[in-house]
Amino acid sequence: MTEQEFRPKIVGFLCNWCAYAGADLAGVSRLQYPPNVRIIRVMCSGRIDPTFVFEAFKDGADGVLVAGCHLPSDCHYLSGNFKAQRRVMLTKKVLQQFGIEPERLRIEWVSASEGDRFASVMKDMVQVIKKLGPSPLKNGGEKL
Ligand code: FES
């Protein structure tokens, strides 16, 4: 599979109050960004359990995005974004142990008014994952 043919599949866990609204704004504003992300809306980025990330990779994702409200104080549940940041840092270490490049997991802060930021995060993430190639967990069976 050449780099041009490879279309990374990205699972995006977006918090309801900021990142999801930012993604929605990107769509409503008709901003161009790669259609590679499957969005899962959660109430807060602090809800993201590392097992969600492992499941996404197990089910064929090439990359996982966790996006929430800006640090330090925009989280609607006070400290969910801090928890998410710590969990993502630890999850990256575990992924590395399994031979999955930590760059495949990314955490970003996107407010409800930052549709352009969401679009640029997606563009950049797709480029990074394209360079890495398909997930090492993929063995021909694509479930997404
Ligand atoms: S509500 Fe958005 S990160 Fe907590």
Side-chain angles (χ1 to χ4, degrees), residues 15 42-49 66 75 79-85 87:
C15 96
V42 293
M43 289 310 285
C44 174
S45 64
R47 175 68 182 90
I48 307 305
D49 189 281
V66 174
C75 175
S79 61
N81 49 4
F82 280 107
K83 287 176 184 155
Q85 188 179 44
R87 284 181 192 148

Side-chain angles (χ1 to χ4, degrees), residues 31-125:
L31 299 176
Q32 296 289 315
Y33 65 89
N36 301 60
V37 65
R38 272 74 163 167
I39 291 175
I40 298 172
R41 178 163 48 168
V42 293
M43 289 310 285
C44 174
S45 64
R47 175 68 182 90
I48 307 305
D49 189 281
T51 57
F52 297 179
V53 176
F54 302 141
E55 283 290 319
F57 281 115
K58 186 175 77 76
D59 287 346
D62 299 297
V64 174
L65 171 68
V66 174
C69 307
H70 280 274
L71 286 171
S73 57
D74 282 1
C75 175
H76 290 232
Y77 304 96
L78 303 178
S79 61
N81 49 4
F82 280 107
K83 287 176 184 155
Q85 188 179 44
R86 283 199 302 267
R87 284 181 192 148
V88 165
M89 279 168 46
L90 291 171
T91 307
K92 279 174 177 269
K93 289 184 180 172
V94 176
L95 288 174
Q96 206 163 15
Q97 297 293 313
F98 286 102
I100 300 171
E101 301 89 342
E103 297 82 15
R104 292 183 185 278
L105 172 61
R106 185 164 172 164
I107 188 161
E108 292 287 344
W109 314 119
V110 178
S111 79
S113 62
E114 291 179 322
D116 54 343
R117 177 164 163 69
F118 179 79
S120 76
V121 163
M122 285 316 306
K123 284 179 196 164
D124 187 62
M125 188 163 182

Side-chain angles (χ1 to χ4, degrees), residues 14 106 126:
L14 309 186
R106 185 164 172 164
V126 167

